[in-house]
């Protein structure tokens, strides 16, 4: 089985879909973008820190899914950081996050092992 398709991506219960497609994207992006990234931005931190530290925090939020999942979400975390930096709206990041989770669900649901 593909290592990134952990139990949460293979569980298609209503509760799991709610958590993956709505709850996690909203909470994680609110904390990481509107919280940490905004805080770093207001302190005029270097760009590498403003983008890199939230991406690292985003990866650490996926620790329970394993090291491969943590590595896989780092680049999307950077992308969400760029989105936040451009539009300063964490809800756009949450939408992108939900879309990424949806793609991962689809990939894990229809992949041939």
């Amino acid at each position: 089985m593909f290592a990134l398709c952990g139990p949460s991506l293979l569980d298609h219960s209503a509760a799991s879909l709610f958590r993956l497609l709505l709850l996690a994207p909203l909470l994680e992006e609110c904390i990481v973008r509107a919280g940490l990234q905004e805080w770093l931005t207001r302190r005029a931190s270097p760009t590498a820190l403003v983008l890199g530290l939230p991406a690292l925090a985003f990866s650490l939020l996926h620790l329970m899914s394993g090291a491969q999942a943590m590595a896989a979400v780092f680049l999307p975390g950077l992308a969400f950081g760029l989105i936040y930096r451009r539009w300063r709206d964490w809800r756009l990041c949450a939408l992108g996050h939900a879309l990424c989770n949806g793609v991962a669900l689809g990939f894990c649901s229809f992949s041939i092992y």
Side-chain angles (χ1 to χ4, degrees):
M1 183 177 294
F2 190 64
L4 295 177
C5 296
S8 62
L9 290 173
L10 296 172
D11 177 6
H12 297 117
S13 68
S16 181
L17 293 175
F18 173 76
R19 185 177 50 78
L20 284 169
L21 299 176
L22 187 64
L23 190 60
L26 288 174
L27 291 175
E28 290 176 7
E29 296 306 328
C30 182
I31 292 166
V32 174
R33 305 301 158 216
L36 179 58
Q37 188 167 343
E38 182 64 26
W39 183 80
L40 290 167
T41 299
R42 289 183 184 206
R43 274 140 191 84
S45 301
T47 300
L49 187 63
V50 169
L51 294 175
L53 192 58
L56 179 61
F58 183 71
S59 288
L60 289 172
L61 287 173
H62 296 83
L63 178 66
M64 297 304 290
S65 298
Q68 289 178 325
M70 287 175 58
V73 302
F74 185 78
L75 287 179
L78 284 175
F80 301 150
L82 289 169
I83 290 168
Y84 185 77
R85 182 174 156 190
R86 169 65 177 89
W87 286 285
R88 295 294 277 269
D89 189 347
W90 66 270
R91 295 169 297 185
L92 291 174
C93 301
L95 179 61
H97 187 158
L99 290 171
C100 285
N101 284 357
V103 168
L105 278 166
F107 175 80
C108 291
S109 297
F110 298 109
S111 289
I112 299 173
Y113 300 106

